[in-house]
Amino acid sequence: MKLTNKKYGLNVDPQNLPPELFYNCDKTFGHFIEDGNGYVVTDKNTPRDWFQYLCNDNFFSAVTNKGLGFTCYRLGLFKVTKYYEEMNYLPRIPNGARKILITDLQTHKVYDFFAESPDLVFTVHPGYVDYVGRVGDYQVEVQIFVPHSDPCECWNVQISNQTGREKECEITFSQDWAFSYLGNDPILGIDRDERGVVARVKDKDLFPSLFGVFACSEVIHPDVVQYNETVWNRPETFTKVSLSARLTMYADSKKQLFIVSGAS
């Protein structure tokens, strides 16, 4: 077997490598914070996505150092947001994502914060995670946590204008609803207003009344698009839900937004 990832110093047959090169002990991807109550991942190009699990008795959230992951309501098999894996007992390659897109309304350039931030720093704490990074003229800070008892995850988002002039931008938050319990349940109805989107899911004996929620503290424009994707050789339906807010950012100013994603 040949290992060709030169970044980690492995480009020959590992059997011919001394242990210090095979295990590559000098390669680090971060460090503990000073008080030891957190770990900072400073290099997002980890060999495999770093998973952190956040939960309470009613809700579960898996987040990665790249903003990927998924959420579940009560039972682990009842997925609120998109995730599927042939080896379902061990999350390996997340195919669901939390998206934060920033559109500069002056240049019309669109930035994908999690995917395009060159200096994205991911910090793991007991009970929550932080992301800090920069795209274009904007510094973005995101904290994700699951409350003590409410069936949801919360995003505390702060966006800063790093220029000395006024800027206008549109920020869009999106996720993909799955609502699957051993197969997708159809969404019976969707309500939307200037604060968010609520979906009513087909009733089941397990959950006689189930709703999905994706909402924002800011006045937003909601968008809902259903699409099909082949999963294990059969078509499945997912629903992309987006919340977009237009922001006027004064010179060197900061704007805070709060997102709630969950089920009940």
Side-chain angles (χ1 to χ4, degrees):
M1 180 180 68
K2 295 288 185 179
L3 299 178
T4 59
N5 194 336
K6 294 182 179 179
K7 176 173 181 179
Y8 308 114
L10 302 176
N11 58 0
V12 296
D13 190 329
Q15 294 182 353
N16 297 327
L17 284 174
E20 63 270 16
L21 289 181
F22 177 73
Y23 293 107
N24 203 9
C25 298
D26 292 333
K27 174 62 185 175
T28 61
F29 294 90
H31 56 84
F32 284 98
I33 60 177
E34 289 185 2
D35 61 7
N37 289 325
Y39 190 85
V40 184
V41 181
T42 55
D43 183 348
K44 68 178 182 180
N45 297 308
T46 50
R48 181 170 286 172
D49 287 351
W50 181 304
F51 276 88
Q52 182 73 1
Y53 301 106
L54 311 171
C55 66
N56 58 34
D57 290 342
N58 296 306
F59 199 80
F60 165 85
S61 173
V63 296
T64 78
N65 58 312
K66 299 175 184 175
L68 306 176
F70 60 96
T71 58
C72 301
Y73 178 64
R74 293 195 178 175
L75 297 180
L77 291 176
F78 195 94
K79 295 176 180 63
V80 176
T81 57
K82 178 181 173 183
Y83 174 74
Y84 53 84
E85 175 68 53
E86 291 184 8
M87 301 177 66
N88 216 23
Y89 65 91
L90 180 62
R92 294 178 181 272
I93 304 174
N95 37 46
R98 302 161 180 83
K99 286 277 190 179
I100 299 178
L101 304 178
I102 299 173
T103 303
D104 190 313
L105 296 179
Q106 293 165 320
T107 65
H108 303 290
K109 184 170 178 57
V110 180
Y111 302 96
D112 185 329
F113 169 64
F114 288 120
E116 297 181 11
S117 176
D119 56 350
L120 185 68
V121 174
F122 174 67
T123 305
V124 176
H125 302 271
Y128 67 98
V129 299
D130 288 326
Y131 301 87
V132 178
R134 179 169 177 149
V135 284
D137 294 328
Y138 305 96
Q139 175 86 5
V140 183
E141 303 172 35
V142 182
Q143 183 179 98
I144 297 178
F145 65 93
V146 171
H148 184 265
S149 58
D150 294 324
C152 65
E153 70 172 17
C154 302
W155 312 359
N156 183 1
V157 181
Q158 296 186 63
I159 177 171
S160 304
N161 176 6
Q162 298 288 291
T163 70
R165 62 188 185 280
E166 183 177 311
K167 300 277 292 183
E168 286 197 357
C169 68
E170 183 179 74
I171 185 167
T172 300
F173 308 96
S174 68
Q175 62 179 16
D176 296 273
W177 273 337
F179 292 115
S180 57
Y181 178 69
L182 301 178
N184 283 19
D185 288 335
I187 294 177
L188 298 182
I190 292 178
D191 296 321
R192 67 193 85 181
D193 60 21
E194 61 182 16
R195 292 296 183 183
V197 180
V198 176
R200 183 166 63 89
V201 183
K202 180 182 177 182
D203 296 346
K204 296 180 74 72
D205 293 337
L206 185 62
F207 303 111
S209 179
L210 183 64
F211 295 87
V213 178
F214 194 43
C216 180
S217 60
E218 193 76 11
V219 174
I220 53 91
H221 172 73
D223 189 36
V224 179
V225 177
Q226 288 192 328
Y227 65 94
N228 292 324
E229 191 168 307
T230 300
V231 180
W232 300 325
N233 297 318
R234 69 172 186 260
E236 295 284 5
T237 300
F238 298 97
T239 304
K240 180 172 288 296
V241 190
S242 303
L243 310 175
S244 299
R246 185 164 179 158
L247 306 177
T248 299
M249 305 287 296
Y250 298 106
D252 303 312
S253 66
K254 178 182 289 188
K255 183 72 175 179
Q256 185 175 34
L257 302 94
F258 202 71
I259 307 296
V260 174
S261 169
S264 64

